[in-house]
Amino acid sequence: MVFFSKDEQLENLGNSVLEATWSKFPSLARNQIALTWIVYDPPVPVNTGGALTPDAFWHHPVRGFNYRGAERIYPASVVKLFYLVAANEWLEKGMTQPSKELDRALRDMIVDSSNDATSLIVDILTGTTSGPELSPAPFETWKQQRNFVNRYFQSLGWEEMASINVCQKTWGDGPYGRERAFYGEMFENRNMLTTNAIARLLHSIVGGVAVSSERSQNMMALLKRSINPDDLPKDVEEDQVTGFLGGGLPPNSQIWSKAGWTSQVRHDAAYIELLDQRPYLLVVFTEGKEQATNRAILPFVSQLIAEAVSHL
């Protein structure tokens, strides 16, 4: 059972958004997009500053739509959401100590999508470091430790987490040494996520029940993005708004998001509030070299979903 209930109205709207997208972008194959969309009907249970207990929150019904929502796909930098939650869990439980460097790395990992910052976070979470290849016995121990974050998400008992893999750092040029060995010969051990798993994690953050109410709010502060062109960084390859879900929203919208991109994928996961409309959560993954460089697909989907929400 996924955490949201299927709904005929959302099925119809969601399918029409997909059909319009395929019509607009003929090179986008049907197996090159995955999408999960959650709508928050009143009384809205999210972004309340943690008004609901975890038990009340998880029993609050939400409706949603997904297309290939359980397909395992390489997530690129969207995996950083999982490392953000894990780091807050470790801090809450005293498994790691707070520090200015950890705070700086968490900020840079989410706000700027820094891979170098993510490298430090993964080291802190797992007690491992990158470096030259290891002999078999130490490498086995190292691999065990590197799966620590996976074990944490499995321990939550969420069905959506059963098939995910979150144990790799994110790279600019790719892994070397023990990191390359850990990927497997054919990169079979690379990070893999589903849009449903990401939606559930983001749902828990927005609901104020990821780790704790206070920590959820701190995570939300890092995920908040301005869609005002004047506020966007100018000297970066991608600003996580232009060419992503934030790029398709009306000017007075609010968005909390984490994007991911490589030469092969372009993804985004967002919680969105439009003026006088139901808030919603949207995760969209696209795959393929051509789609990865296309800055029009995700804003197009986002704009259509925003229009669909106005009909609810």
Side-chain angles (χ1 to χ4, degrees):
M1 276 292 290
V2 287
F3 70 98
F4 55 89
S5 56
K6 289 194 171 178
D7 170 89
E8 190 180 0
Q9 183 188 31
L10 295 187
E11 292 284 321
N12 293 337
L13 288 168
N15 283 320
S16 69
V17 166
L18 286 166
E19 292 300 338
T21 305
W22 286 314
S23 174
K24 172 91 171 166
F25 303 99
S27 67
L28 178 70
R30 291 187 175 244
N31 66 348
Q32 287 182 317
I33 186 168
L35 180 153
T36 303
W37 174 34
I38 309 297
V39 171
Y40 297 110
D41 298 304
V44 173
V46 293
N47 212 7
T48 60
L52 294 179
T53 65
D55 192 54
F57 178 75
W58 289 116
H59 283 95
H60 190 101
V62 288
R63 55 189 181 131
F65 166 81
N66 79 102
Y67 173 75
R68 299 180 70 241
E71 291 289 328
R72 298 173 84 244
I73 296 168
Y74 177 68
S77 290
V78 179
V79 74
K80 293 167 185 174
L81 271 177
F82 287 72
Y83 298 150
L84 174 68
V85 171
N88 276 277
E89 175 72 18
W90 275 220
L91 286 162
E92 186 74 10
K93 296 279 196 297
M95 291 155 60
T96 193
Q97 295 310 305
S99 71
K100 280 185 176 165
E101 274 303 276
L102 177 54
D103 287 346
R104 184 170 77 97
L106 285 170
R107 183 207 163 276
D108 292 353
M109 175 175 77
I110 299 300
V111 176
D112 305 327
S113 207
S114 163
N115 292 333
D116 292 350
T118 307
S119 178
L120 176 71
I121 302 291
V122 173
D123 286 347
I124 289 171
L125 289 172
T126 62
T128 60
T129 52
S130 303
E133 289 171 89
L134 294 165
S135 53
F139 190 39
E140 280 309 309
T141 306
W142 187 92
K143 288 193 285 192
Q144 274 289 320
Q145 285 177 245
R146 271 297 278 274
N147 277 300
F148 200 12
V149 180
N150 270 328
R151 289 194 291 275
Y152 163 61
F153 284 109
Q154 300 297 337
S155 76
L156 298 178
W158 299 349
E159 178 197 307
E160 294 88 353
M161 299 297 166
S163 67
I164 71 169
N165 189 35
V166 289
C167 63
Q168 302 289 359
K169 296 183 173 184
T170 51
W171 300 98
D173 297 330
Y176 292 87
R178 68 189 67 163
E179 297 284 355
R180 177 63 188 88
F182 187 47
Y183 264 73
E185 196 64 40
M186 307 301 295
F187 285 86
E188 61 271 16
N189 192 35
R190 65 185 189 161
N191 287 335
M192 295 299 261
L193 285 170
T194 69
T195 57
N196 284 353
I198 295 155
R200 179 147 193 183
L201 188 73
L202 192 50
H203 177 63
S204 75
I205 297 171
V206 183
V209 299
V211 185
S212 72
S213 167
E214 187 182 346
R215 290 197 179 277
S216 290
Q217 288 175 68
N218 293 342
M219 290 187 257
M220 287 288 279
L222 293 178
L223 293 164
K224 185 83 171 79
R225 306 208 180 266
S226 170
I227 56 173
N228 181 341
D230 297 338
D231 295 339
L232 298 175
K234 302 288 181 273
D235 54 347
V236 293
E237 175 202 357
E238 299 284 2
D239 59 30
Q240 302 194 71
V241 172
T242 312
F244 294 97
L245 297 176
L249 296 175
N252 51 13
S253 312
Q254 296 199 78
I255 182 170
W256 292 256
S257 70
K258 182 70 200 80
W261 63 92
T262 68
S263 61
Q264 301 291 334
V265 300
R266 180 172 284 264
H267 304 327
D268 204 1
Y271 166 70
I272 293 165
E273 293 182 352
L274 307 177
L275 201 61
D276 303 326
Q277 303 292 349
R278 287 166 163 78
Y280 59 95
L281 195 153
L282 182 61
V283 184
V284 185
F285 273 23
T286 60
E287 295 183 275
K289 232 179 181 63
E290 195 175 330
Q291 330 312 334
T293 55
N294 190 329
R295 290 193 167 134
I297 300 175
L298 292 182
F300 181 80
V301 172
S302 183
Q303 184 183 346
L304 292 187
I305 292 283
E307 286 167 10
V309 166
S310 68
H311 297 300
L312 296 174

